[in-house]
Structure formats: C-alpha cells, structure tokens
Amino acid sequence: MKVIAIGNIGKAPTPEQRQQIMPREVPATLKLYLDGKIEQFWFRQDKPGVVFLMNVESLEQAKATVEALPLVTDGFATYELMQVGPLAPLGMLMQGK
C-alpha cells in the first residue's frame, strides 16, 4: 500500500533542541528508507516539514512508523496520512472499456 505522509512542524525546535533531535531523526529516517518503508522523500517548499511516499502494509503501520520518529515523539512534528493508488479513471480513456 502506498501512503503519502505530510509532515508539519508545529513548533520549531530551538537550535539547542535541534542539535539534540536531528542526530536521532536523520538516522531513524534513513533506516526507514533503507528498510523500504519510505520510498521517496522531499522537503516541503511551502513551510517547514517533509513529505514521504511510504510503502507499508496499512495506514495503521504508516501511523505507527511516523509517530515513532524523534520529531514526533518530542512534540515538534505531526503527520497527515493519505492512502494513494493508481489513477483508475484513466482506464475509461482506453478503447473498449
């Protein structure tokens, strides 16, 4: 199942907090990527946060995965999750369908 996880930074960590959190956040995110749970990732251009394309078994697994990240457990980030899939209506454009 593909899930888009949109991260939002509620309150930005102070520089001191960032120095404590990011050495845990970056390896945790990299491990999820290497484990195949995060397929692609981007930094948001509209405001602080990230967007992950996740490959998971369920929305519950996606939720548990992002909620275990340090920025979330330390109260700085939240994620909006949405399941996505193929654009099925394109099939109507094919002849005979």
Side-chain angles (χ1 to χ4, degrees):
M1 165 187 292
K2 303 291 185 194
V3 172
I4 299 285
I6 302 170
N8 293 291
I9 302 296
K11 64 172 185 163
T14 65
E16 295 81 19
Q17 290 169 323
R18 193 172 22 258
Q19 286 180 341
Q20 294 175 356
I21 295 168
M22 296 315 286
R24 295 182 288 132
E25 180 77 15
V26 172
T29 303
L30 181 57
K31 182 173 181 349
L32 293 174
Y33 174 75
L34 294 173
D35 289 346
K37 289 184 181 174
I38 294 177
E39 198 170 290
Q40 296 182 41
F41 47 88
W42 303 273
F43 187 73
R44 292 182 66 160
Q45 299 297 301
D46 61 336
K47 61 183 183 176
V50 296
V51 177
F52 299 144
L53 173 60
M54 302 181 75
N55 187 22
V56 291
E57 297 295 322
S58 64
L59 279 173
E60 293 77 20
Q61 183 186 37
K63 183 176 190 222
T65 299
V66 295
E67 286 184 351
L69 290 169
L71 280 170
V72 177
T73 61
D74 289 357
F76 294 102
T78 59
Y79 281 86
E80 176 186 349
L81 304 174
M82 73 180 89
Q83 182 180 349
V84 294
L87 190 55
L90 287 177
M92 294 186 305
L93 297 175
M94 299 172 62
Q95 286 188 339
K97 297 277 180 186

